[in-house]
Amino acid sequence: MLLITVLENTTNPVFISNVQDALVVAISGVENPAERNRAILSAYTSKKALREKLLGVIPRVGGDDALKLVTSEFNTQKGAAKDMAFKALTQWKDQSVSNQLYAIALGTVTKYKADAFTAYVSKIGKSKLNPDQKLLQLRKIMILAATPDQKKQVIQALKGNRTFLTLVFVAKYLDEPAIGSDAAWVAMDIAMPPSGSKEGMFGEEVRVILNKCIGVIAGNDSQYARENMRNWLAAMPKDPGFVSMFNGKDLTGWKGLVENPIARAKMTEEELAQKQAAVDLTVPESWAVKDGMIVFNGKGNNLCSVKDYGDFEMWVDWRITKNGDSGIYLRGTPQVQIWDTSRLDAGAQVGSGGLYNNSKNQSKPSRLADNAIGDWNTFYIKMIGERVTVVLNGVTVVDNVIMENYWDRAIPIFPSGAIELQAHGTDLGFRDIYVHEIKAENIGLSVQEQADGFVSLFNGKNLDGWVGNKVDYCADNGELLVEPTGKGGSGNLYTEKEYADFAFRFEFQLTPGANNGIGIRAPLEGDAAYAGMEIQVLDNTAPMYANLQKYQYHGSVYGVIPARREFLKPVGEWNEEEIWIQGTRIRVTLNGTVIVDGDIAEASKNGTIDHNDHPGLKRTSGHIGFLGHGSVLRFRNVRVKTL
């Protein structure tokens, strides 16, 4: 490469810098990674006098071969050559150098340790790693922090890393005088709603942390920050949020395993109590607490939560050793898999996180997302009904998959049960175990909707809370599926409760030609479009509806107030809608655009535009319903707020 020759013959520092810049551009433009660094690495190996100049280029280009070469130089050279190689590592273009920097920071050569620490934190902090991985990598280096300044570097690198476990980790440093205020600023940034959003973190753990932040935060604008935190504390939902299952000190809240859920159900209370007492005595032989972790020594049985859980989401960090094998049992049922991915004989190369014991539904994770053996991993697990989602190290590896009942495959998984840490003959560790129990009335709600008083009307699992046609309407994959069984079949599904003034929000997915409706203030008998009111749900684009009356199109108060058109998304995509009614005022908002804003009394005072009698317009309360007209479509995230 001509530029390498030019660089070799250039002595002016300014010109050297210019040629180095040109080399970076030229090399970065080579598409084939295998060819990209060949010339420059060859020159580095063969032209000793050129090495210092090339070390101003290599870190900016990066690449596995280049990193391997510079790492070797650092490990084998001495004096100035070693220093140049180290400088190149600290200037590397991305976080791919993090393992090398960590090893140096962990090493015994004092000369390089502090700068390696700082470079590591900088690379990870500025990286595009997902938030879960970024936290894991920064927690790893925090163990090596020898000064308050180094701890501060790690804390500040986590600013904006909005995960619950990041908040918990940062909050651990609120009590350290030298860095408490810095930790408070970062914790506040993580927990509070971002600018332009109302979606902040909530729960008793968050409340405790923010109150502590109020007490220690200092510096410019700290008074303003305190006021913001107090405002959020007053506004946040009352839901307890994520609750710790492990206090970091002992096994309070945990117990030994007595057989399996079906066997336990057949025992008398006295028999179960006796067996439980016996196995609890054996727990210390297998499980212990060390350095804030639950550790298993490889001998014994599962560790179970004392409390049973139904619908929930949880965070848990885990770490295994060579040939490790474990898992997380949900509702007493195996399992979200954990294993050493090098165990090819067991099929572990697919990765952890799969629903290992499924036989009909997906059992393997969608991709490999494990960290190296000996490093920590993070699970986020969500279970609603029989469906499970697993996120491993920030990567979704199981997405809303049915978890089968391993103990009796003829029946669905149990509605509630213990969370278990599986013992499988190898030592392992768990830390930061938090669970949030999800109430049926909160399913599908945003944080702001919970704070505003919305409640969920559909739990995604069954039709509890609904009356009417439960044949053509059913829960399917967390959604409300309308699938008429008869020719031209219809039928309505209504809320058990009646509502007067309210905001009703839902999402819907149309099929070609779909026709349905939302009944409001409706009785259970009669035609809801007249005996109550119907807000039309319709595929406006279908040719069969080209010549409808204007009051028959989507969003219209049927026969009374026509809606603006052209705001539906293409058929097959999900739409969002809100129906707001207070007294005689009604407003319909579709995908963020108001398509109806009127007064039903005013609109009908001289008769309705369809010239039909609508006695339901005078009703002040009634049921909310889905009004079937023989079409297949889906609804989800159905929620209501009483005004």
Side-chain angles (χ1 to χ4, degrees):
M1 183 178 286
L2 178 60
L3 283 172
I4 293 177
T5 303
V6 173
L7 182 63
E8 184 178 13
N9 296 319
T10 301
T11 57
N12 184 299
V14 175
F15 291 167
I16 289 173
S17 178
N18 291 338
V19 177
Q20 287 173 329
D21 291 344
L23 263 172
V24 171
V25 173
I27 294 170
S28 299
V30 178
E31 293 185 3
N32 187 345
E35 298 290 336
R36 190 172 298 150
N37 289 338
R38 181 169 296 177
I40 194 170
L41 296 184
S42 175
Y44 184 93
T45 303
S46 61
K47 299 176 183 288
K48 189 173 182 179
L50 190 56
R51 290 180 180 179
E52 183 175 359
K53 294 178 181 178
L54 291 177
L55 284 176
V57 177
I58 292 174
R60 297 161 62 189
V61 176
D64 293 342
D65 290 343
L67 182 56
K68 184 177 180 180
L69 172 65
V70 177
T71 302
S72 176
E73 288 288 277
F74 175 78
N75 291 333
T76 59
Q77 296 295 328
K78 297 180 180 179
K82 189 179 188 74
D83 291 346
M84 286 190 297
F86 175 69
K87 182 179 179 181
L89 291 173
T90 63
Q91 295 176 341
W92 211 258
K93 64 177 292 188
D94 56 30
Q95 81 280 359
S96 62
V97 72
S98 60
N99 287 339
Q100 287 78 4
L101 292 172
Y102 179 82
I104 296 170
L106 183 63
T108 58
V109 183
T110 305
K111 177 180 180 180
Y112 302 114
K113 289 169 69 72
D115 287 342
F117 183 100
T118 298
Y120 178 100
V121 173
S122 176
K123 302 300 179 192
I124 298 297
K126 295 176 181 177
S127 73
K128 295 182 180 179
L129 291 172
N130 69 63
D132 291 350
Q133 278 286 28
K134 185 172 289 189
L135 173 62
L136 287 169
Q137 299 308 314
L138 288 171
R139 287 191 71 169
K140 180 178 178 179
I141 198 74
M142 182 63 105
I143 298 172
L144 306 182
T147 66
D149 181 66
Q150 288 186 326
K151 291 181 180 180
K152 189 182 298 186
Q153 290 176 39
V154 176
I155 294 297
Q156 291 176 341
L158 285 167
K159 183 178 180 180
N161 206 65
R162 291 181 53 79
T163 73
F164 178 76
L165 291 187
T166 304
L167 177 65
V168 171
F169 174 71
V170 171
K172 294 177 181 178
Y173 298 91
L174 290 172
D175 293 327
E176 295 194 17
I179 60 172
S181 178
D182 294 273
W185 282 104
V186 174
M188 180 189 72
D189 178 73
I190 293 169
M192 295 282 289
S195 177
S197 169
K198 296 181 179 180
E199 298 296 302
M201 294 186 183
F202 62 91
E204 290 308 309
E205 189 83 17
V206 177
R207 190 174 295 277
V208 169
I209 290 171
L210 286 181
N211 275 315
K212 186 173 285 189
C213 288
I214 289 172
V216 301
I217 200 165
N220 295 336
D221 297 325
S222 58
Q223 186 59 40
Y224 177 72
R226 291 189 193 96
E227 188 64 25
N228 281 343
M229 285 188 277
R230 290 190 182 102
N231 289 340
W232 176 239
L233 286 168
M236 73 166 56
K238 304 306 179 185
D239 189 301
F242 282 100
V243 176
S244 177
M245 295 181 67
F246 170 49
N247 62 20
K249 301 174 182 178
D250 55 43
L251 294 177
T252 299
W254 297 88
K255 63 182 180 180
L257 173 64
V258 177
E259 300 186 38
N260 64 68
I262 292 178
R264 290 195 297 270
K266 296 177 181 178
M267 298 177 189
T268 64
E269 288 187 17
E270 182 179 1
E271 181 184 7
L272 178 57
Q274 290 176 347
K275 290 193 174 186
Q276 187 66 63
V279 297
D280 284 349
L281 292 175
T282 68
V283 168
E285 299 172 6
S286 308
W287 297 88
V289 175
K290 180 181 179 182
D291 299 330
M293 304 177 290
I294 295 178
V295 294
F296 176 64
N297 63 17
K299 299 177 182 179
N301 217 329
N302 293 6
L303 188 67
C304 311
S305 63
V306 170
K307 184 175 181 177
D308 286 349
Y309 296 91
D311 294 338
F312 64 89
E313 54 184 338
M314 70 178 294
W315 291 98
V316 56
D317 277 4
W318 54 269
R319 182 174 67 183
I320 56 175
T321 53
K322 182 67 176 174
N323 296 321
D325 191 336
S326 183
I328 310 290
Y329 281 40
L330 309 181
R331 299 185 194 155
T333 303
Q335 84 209 34
V336 178
Q337 180 70 7
I338 296 171
W339 51 7
D340 176 0
T341 59
S342 69
R343 295 179 56 207
L344 304 185
D345 58 320
Q349 66 272 17
V350 299
S352 298
L355 304 184
Y356 180 79
N357 295 95
N358 272 1
S359 62
K360 295 180 180 179
N361 297 284
Q362 176 188 338
S363 63
K364 297 177 181 178
S366 59
R367 58 176 290 188
L368 176 67
D370 298 59
N371 286 333
I373 293 298
D375 283 345
W376 284 96
N377 298 265
T378 296
F379 268 154
Y380 167 80
I381 301 170
K382 185 175 184 179
M383 187 174 197
I384 302 291
E386 59 184 350
R387 292 187 175 271
V388 174
T389 294
V390 181
V391 180
L392 171 57
N393 298 328
V395 177
T396 300
V397 295
V398 171
D399 191 3
N400 205 34
V401 174
I402 291 174
M403 186 175 191
E404 298 163 20
N405 191 331
Y406 172 79
W407 306 112
D408 185 350
R409 296 188 185 277
I411 62 174
I413 197 167
F414 311 111
S416 65
I419 292 172
E420 300 179 24
L421 309 180
Q422 186 191 30
H424 211 295
T426 57
D427 56 330
L428 64 146
F430 298 92
R431 71 182 184 192
D432 288 348
I433 311 173
Y434 288 86
V435 65
H436 171 218
E437 296 182 81
I438 301 174
K439 301 175 183 177
E441 62 266 28
N442 289 339
I443 291 175
L445 299 185
S446 68
V447 174
Q448 186 59 42
E449 285 175 331
Q450 290 184 54
D452 287 345
F454 278 86
V455 295
S456 175
L457 292 178
F458 173 57
N459 62 22
K461 302 177 291 184
N462 52 48
L463 296 180
D464 288 354
W466 295 84
V467 296
N469 184 350
K470 295 188 178 183
V471 176
D472 296 340
Y473 293 80
C474 65
D476 180 71
N477 195 29
E479 300 159 1
L480 180 61
L481 170 64
V482 188
E483 192 170 32
T485 55
K487 291 185 178 180
S490 60
N492 302 337
L493 184 72
Y494 293 103
T495 57
E496 287 182 350
K497 295 181 180 180
E498 294 192 18
Y499 298 88
D501 297 338
F502 57 84
F504 177 65
R505 294 177 179 174
F506 60 98
E507 297 176 37
F508 63 96
Q509 182 190 56
L510 298 172
T511 56
N515 184 6
N516 200 275
I518 306 298
I520 60 175
R521 293 182 180 170
L524 295 179
E525 303 295 334
D527 189 335
Y530 303 97
M533 283 176 276
E534 178 177 358
I535 311 302
Q536 185 74 311
V537 175
L538 189 78
D539 171 17
N540 286 348
T541 64
M544 69 181 79
Y545 302 137
N547 298 314
L548 292 181
Q549 297 296 322
K550 61 182 181 179
Y551 54 77
Q552 293 179 301
Y553 285 103
H554 181 89
S556 299
V557 182
Y558 190 86
V560 183
I561 303 176
R564 298 169 63 193
R565 294 164 62 181
E566 310 301 332
F567 297 101
L568 281 166
K569 293 183 179 180
V571 170
E573 294 186 16
W574 284 94
N575 296 268
E576 299 179 0
E577 185 161 315
E578 178 185 83
I579 300 169
W580 179 96
I581 185 167
Q582 189 167 42
T584 59
R585 294 291 306 174
I586 187 167
R587 182 175 65 243
V588 179
T589 305
L590 173 64
N591 297 321
T593 299
V594 175
I595 59 173
V596 167
D597 190 0
D599 188 301
I600 54 176
E602 183 68 23
S604 61
K605 67 180 181 180
N606 296 319
T608 58
I609 55 177
D610 69 350
H611 308 297
N612 289 319
D613 186 22
H614 286 259
L617 296 177
K618 297 180 180 179
R619 289 177 62 92
T620 57
S621 67
H623 302 272
I624 298 172
F626 297 105
L627 312 179
H629 296 294
S631 302
V632 175
L633 71 161
R634 290 176 179 268
F635 297 93
R636 69 183 183 190
N637 292 338
V638 182
R639 60 263 199 222
V640 69
K641 175 186 177 181
T642 300
L643 301 177

